[in-house]
Amino acid sequence: MRIIDLRSDTVTKPTPAMRRAMAEAEVGDDVYSEDPTVHRLEALAAEMLGLEAGLFMPSGTMTNQVALMLHLQRGQEVIAPKGAHIYEYEPGSLSVLAGGMIRLVEAPYGVPDPEAVRSAIHTSPHQAPTGLIALENTHNSAGGTVVPLEAGRAIQQVAEEAGLPTHLDGARLFNAATALGVAPAELAKGFRTVSICLSKGLGAPVGSVLLMPKDYRAEAWRYRKMLGGGMRQAGVLAAAGILALTEGPKGLVRDHQMARALAEGLLRMQVEVDLDSVQTNMVYAHVPHAADFVERLRQAGVLANAMGSRVRFVTHRDLADEDIPAALERIESALHVV
């Protein structure tokens, strides 16, 4: 039985072209800043996102945390949308590493109201001062939803008026750009720092890049070293990352179409899905006893993740065309198992 893995787009394997590029990569010691392939990846990412400099790191959690360390003084708060990855899935790192706290604002479909963000800003000496405003695009726990250009601009305007920097957790920024039909640089524009992940829908085996002003890079380099993120002949990974940036976005429309087909199939089975939230490559379904249901799916050859009372399905490049119809058949059978 073929296993249909819908747990995450992180399960993608490197393509044959990526493997060849990795095997043939020109390398050097990146801790000495001598790896030419890493340099090419960082320059390409900066060019594509419209920022001045990039820094390659092992993970998106590290790129986010280095950004927070760059922006925050100890005891400051970062304002972020409810459900933000930096709060939910980077386990306490903000407080441990940057000495900061988080203030969450309501964010329907991952999009905070600018006035709610404005109201959350603190300047009183009796409160933790606000040091940063962060957004996430796409917003994972809201369903892989997209922050529209105008919404991002409005929140940037609030930050600018308050004299605050902004950070974008763009782990799936290319999914958002694909859904909106705009260049990724349009979604990154105006943010002081932007994190992008290469190992999700773009398909690289490892790595994220933090984009920033060039005068931030030396301090970001130091923080990366502090966190153990200095890699040696990292060009073997960066070579795959270059192909992820140049070739990976071409498959995202298909990923989104598969997610939509999956969501519509679940609705036909009377499974509760908010179709408005299915904007990219994720589907969240409300199923009684989600963890038990996920175990039944596993036994039927479909892998998914229980997220509290919901089940998350994520589509990706490594799925075959027939996998979504097959997954729906197995899901329907699992629904009727008592």
Side-chain angles (χ1 to χ4, degrees), residues 16-58:
M18 281 184 180
R19 292 180 184 273
R20 287 193 299 271
M22 294 169 74
E24 298 168 4
E26 184 182 5
V27 298
D29 192 327
D30 188 49
V31 173
Y32 289 116
S33 194
E34 292 176 354
D35 192 301
T37 308
V38 170
H39 292 169
R40 286 198 294 272
L41 169 64
E42 292 171 344
L44 174 63
E47 179 183 3
M48 292 180 72
L49 274 296
L51 282 93
E52 293 178 340
L55 187 60
F56 184 44
M57 302 190 204

Side-chain angles (χ1 to χ4, degrees), residues 72-191:
L72 295 174
Q73 298 177 25
R74 300 190 73 80
Q76 287 187 321
E77 285 186 340
V78 52
I79 296 172
K82 188 175 181 180
H85 193 279
I86 60 173
Y87 175 72
E88 296 287 352
Y89 302 113
E90 298 181 20
S93 303
L94 169 63
S95 59
V96 174
L97 301 174
M101 299 184 291
I102 199 156
R103 182 166 295 276
L104 299 175
V105 295
E106 291 294 331
Y109 296 108
V111 184
D113 182 270
E115 291 309 310
V117 174
R118 192 188 309 277
S119 297
I121 296 172
H122 286 164
T123 58
S124 166
H126 304 292
Q127 296 172 303
T130 304
L132 175 69
I133 296 173
L135 288 180
E136 183 177 330
N137 201 10
T138 64
H139 192 295
N140 180 349
S141 65
T145 52
V146 174
V147 178
L149 280 170
E150 60 275 13
R153 299 280 190 269
I155 291 168
Q156 287 173 345
Q157 182 63 34
V158 170
E160 184 177 340
E161 292 170 1
L164 293 170
T166 52
H167 170 65
L168 178 62
D169 177 357
R172 294 181 175 89
L173 180 66
F174 285 79
N175 290 86
T178 297
L180 293 175
V182 301
E186 284 298 304
L187 291 174
K189 185 177 180 180
F191 288 93

Side-chain angles (χ1 to χ4, degrees), residues 263-273 285-288 332 335-336:
E264 290 172 351
L266 290 170
L267 283 172
R268 288 194 294 271
M269 298 175 204
Q270 307 300 312
V271 175
E272 184 183 347
V273 174
H286 291 266
V287 179
E332 186 166 26
L335 285 169
H336 295 105

